Amino acid sequence: ETILKKKNLETLWKETATYWNARSTFETGNSLLDSLFNVSRTGLKSAIARSGRNDAGIWQYNMEWLSEQVFAMEALLRSGMVNQAKVMLEKNLKHNIGFDGRTIESSRWFGFEYTELVQNGILLYEVWAYLSWTGDYDLIKKYWNKIRLCGDFPLMEIFLDPRTKMVKNKREFWERSDTYGVENGYELAYQFWVAFGLEKGAVVAAKLGDKATAQRWSKAAAELKQTMFNDPAYKLVEDGHLIKRRTVDGRWQKNFFPPDRNRLPPGSPIAVEENPSCEPDTVEVFPIIFEMVDPRSELAVKTLEWVEQLWNQRWESGGYPRYNVTSEDNPPAPWPIPSVLVARAYAATGNDEKVWRVLEWLYNIAGGKSGSMFERLGQSITPPMPPVGVNGWIWYELIALCIHHLLGFRPELDHLLVRPYLLKGIDELKSHQTLRGSVIDLKIRRSTGESFALVNGKKMELSQGAVTLPFPLQRTLSIEMNLA
């Protein structure tokens, strides 16, 4: 009422239109895909406060995880909400990293054995992403000491095994712990995110002139990856596909056997199944999504074949769960978040049919058309019941699928890489992006002729389907690409 006394509805409408016209756009002509992008973009705006506060699972958890916060930050950048992204990142750098580099999860700190080391790697990656999109080194320099603490935290002796050079603990990515039968060992998601984050963090450290940190992180990442993919006893590969977890003695942990099933939700699969299996798990697609594993390699293909067992595991309505539901502590049900993660991996490998299957499923589930998707689609044994939380992480993954994989808009520290991918049934893609103060209009077309790009009207040849433009960019830029 107070606002309407100062501004009439027509003025408010014009100001709102002006705001959204300046944000990033993504248009394919496919109403389903365009709608999923748009509801994700508006969801970000509606759920994140001006202060950067963003509760995970709206009306559900009412708590914060650093990892989800910085995933949201990257989604804001991809949506053209640059100032809001800065506020959110600074809030996390200031408040959500502890004195020893530990990160906040569910709005609190956990002991060493249960801390989520993935968050340290994710933070380093997102610092790199923020710099790639903005070039704002002043913010990163301001908090570099805390960022360095965060990056060094997983390298502490309590986590980093001197024999294997991998990090170990008793908690897995989806927060099950030794109560569920998680043995002390090496989780794929932890190895991936720590190594990936250290690689990106090392590049940032070098840019800031911190050579010692750059060398330390590069060395740790290389050693971790070497064991993770190549060590004859400890590599996280079996039968040609990635696996979830090995114990400290090198065993592939295929099952979670709870030490006391009475402590788990009564009637849940992990409390009653004879052999609760933790394999396969959708975390096994992370290295494919981010191309640590070549998406077209045999390892990627076999890993996705392995994960595909989860589609419709114990239902007929579609969707993937997080992991084999025999080790689930709630009734078996599909989850939108891991479903979009798998779709991103399929987009990286070029499996259009599987990408569309996930998108169509997501659009048609409860809340899909409005973007108000629940975290999971089944009843719960433990409160809340039924699930009442709208989970923003789904939006971040959908925006990443659209901007990173399909538009192929991939800023790095020194250049912009544009490597689009047109899904079957989409012949043209248009987008408006804001990057380092430049306004960029993109138009991607399917062509029966040669592949090439026009950058402000100047023809450029593509290299492996991509065009690379060094920074700084012109203030306004037009990029047109014809893809054969």
Side-chain angles (χ1 to χ4, degrees):
E1 184 180 347
T2 304
I3 294 175
L4 289 174
K5 286 179 179 178
K6 296 179 180 179
K7 300 178 181 180
N8 61 31
L9 186 59
E10 182 180 359
T11 300
L12 288 170
W13 185 269
K14 287 181 179 178
E15 289 179 353
T16 300
T18 299
Y19 174 85
W20 283 110
N21 286 338
R23 306 285 77 79
S24 298
T25 60
F26 177 86
E27 303 172 61
T28 66
N30 181 281
S31 59
L32 183 154
L33 182 55
D34 293 351
S35 174
L36 287 172
F37 175 82
N38 287 326
V39 296
S40 298
R41 187 184 64 153
T42 53
L44 287 175
K45 179 63 177 172
S46 65
I48 300 174
R50 291 180 181 178
S51 66
R53 183 172 177 80
N54 177 40
D55 284 341
I58 307 162
W59 309 306
Q60 184 175 0
Y61 296 117
N62 299 318
M63 295 181 290
E64 295 183 345
W65 280 254
L66 178 138
S67 55
E68 185 173 26
Q69 297 268 303
V70 292
F71 282 150
M73 182 276 300
E74 189 176 20
L76 288 167
L77 291 170
R78 288 169 169 154
S79 301
M81 304 180 203
V82 181
N83 293 336
Q84 190 74 5
K86 180 177 181 177
V87 169
M88 174 161 273
L89 180 59
E90 183 162 21
K91 173 185 174 296
N92 279 274
L93 293 175
K94 188 175 183 179
H95 298 295
N96 289 348
I97 300 174
F99 71 93
D100 59 358
R102 199 176 324 192
T103 60
I104 202 165
E105 46 185 291
S106 57
S107 294
R108 52 187 178 264
W109 313 101
F110 280 74
F112 284 161
E113 287 189 323
Y114 302 108
T115 194
E116 295 186 26
L117 296 178
V118 290
Q119 296 202 132
N120 299 74
I122 290 168
L123 186 278
L124 293 182
Y125 160 70
E126 292 295 5
V127 164
W128 173 88
Y130 175 79
L131 283 175
S132 297
W133 278 86
T134 68
D136 180 12
Y137 281 89
D138 288 341
L139 178 67
I140 304 310
K141 288 176 182 177
K142 180 179 177 181
Y143 292 98
W144 182 244
N145 287 340
K146 293 191 78 173
I147 294 167
R148 184 170 52 212
L149 275 173
C150 188
D152 281 335
F153 185 75
L155 304 182
M156 294 171 61
E157 186 177 350
I158 192 171
F159 303 121
L160 189 64
D161 190 323
R163 296 175 306 143
T164 64
K165 308 298 184 183
M166 294 197 294
V167 293
K168 64 183 187 301
N169 69 348
K170 296 179 181 179
R171 196 177 189 198
E172 53 91 71
F173 182 79
W174 304 107
E175 301 184 333
R176 291 171 295 181
S177 64
D178 48 358
T179 303
Y180 291 77
V182 178
E183 298 182 53
N184 195 22
Y186 315 104
E187 174 89 358
L188 175 78
Y190 281 62
Q191 314 315 313
F192 166 75
W193 276 114
V194 170
F196 191 61
L198 289 172
E199 282 184 331
K200 297 300 186 186
V203 178
V204 174
K207 287 285 186 182
L208 297 179
D210 188 345
K211 294 182 180 179
T213 298
Q215 291 172 356
R216 182 170 67 255
W217 288 356
S218 291
K219 180 175 182 289
E223 289 175 341
L224 195 160
K225 287 171 61 179
Q226 172 64 24
T227 305
M228 178 181 173
F229 293 116
N230 300 308
D231 188 271
Y234 285 94
K235 65 182 176 182
L236 296 173
V237 179
E238 288 281 353
D239 303 324
H241 62 77
L242 294 171
I243 62 171
K244 175 178 175 61
R245 193 173 183 91
R246 281 201 193 278
T247 59
V248 291
D249 61 4
R251 286 182 295 107
W252 175 12
Q253 187 172 10
K254 300 179 183 180
N255 303 92
F256 287 167
F257 294 110
D260 183 359
R261 296 188 184 229
N262 292 324
R263 295 181 61 187
L264 297 171
S268 63
I270 196 167
V272 299
E273 292 275 349
E274 183 178 354
N275 293 299
S277 176
C278 59
E279 287 280 13
D281 188 310
T282 55
V283 300
E284 290 153 14
V285 305
F286 275 131
I288 302 169
I289 290 172
F290 293 93
E291 300 183 16
M292 182 180 284
V293 167
D294 181 351
R296 304 301 175 111
S297 68
E298 189 69 13
L299 178 59
V301 170
K302 289 197 171 184
T303 298
L304 281 166
E305 288 176 353
W306 171 245
V307 170
E308 190 58 30
Q309 299 174 62
L310 299 177
W311 179 265
N312 268 343
Q313 189 181 0
R314 288 190 175 179
W315 52 87
E316 298 297 331
S317 57
Y320 297 88
R322 294 173 293 180
Y323 44 72
N324 190 317
V325 296
T326 61
S327 59
E328 177 63 79
D329 62 358
N330 268 303
W335 286 56
I337 296 166
S339 295
V340 184
L341 286 173
V342 176
R344 288 184 66 186
Y346 275 128
T349 63
N351 190 326
D352 296 11
E353 179 187 352
K354 294 291 197 307
V355 177
W356 279 121
R357 186 179 67 174
V358 170
L359 293 174
E360 289 167 359
W361 170 79
L362 193 66
Y363 185 73
N364 288 297
I365 63 174
K369 293 179 177 62
S370 66
S372 304
M373 285 83 81
F374 292 156
E375 184 179 56
R376 59 188 299 274
L377 301 187
Q379 289 284 345
S380 298
I381 293 173
T382 53
M385 183 177 182
V388 293
V390 174
N391 198 295
W393 188 4
I394 305 164
W395 303 330
Y396 321 150
E397 296 301 333
L398 280 169
I399 290 170
L401 172 64
C402 293
I403 303 302
H404 181 81
H405 295 283
L406 304 186
L407 180 62
F409 195 84
R410 305 181 181 192
E412 299 194 16
L413 293 185
D414 296 319
H415 63 269
L416 168 65
L417 176 73
V418 184
R419 195 180 76 194
Y421 179 72
L422 292 175
L423 287 172
K424 183 179 180 180
I426 294 177
D427 295 321
E428 183 174 273
L429 195 166
K430 294 186 290 184
S431 182
H432 171 92
Q433 294 290 323
T434 301
L435 178 67
R436 300 194 181 202
S438 296
V439 176
I440 306 171
D441 285 305
L442 301 102
K443 183 177 288 187
I444 318 298
R445 301 187 190 91
R446 194 182 300 278
S447 171
T448 56
E450 63 173 324
S451 295
F452 64 90
L454 294 174
V455 179
N456 279 356
K458 182 179 179 180
K459 188 173 182 179
M460 293 183 63
E461 299 299 322
L462 303 186
S463 175
Q464 297 181 325
V467 61
T468 301
L469 304 174
F471 292 137
L473 302 175
Q474 297 180 43
R475 300 293 292 179
T476 58
L477 198 62
S478 168
I479 300 175
E480 298 183 42
M481 296 178 72
N482 278 23
L483 301 180

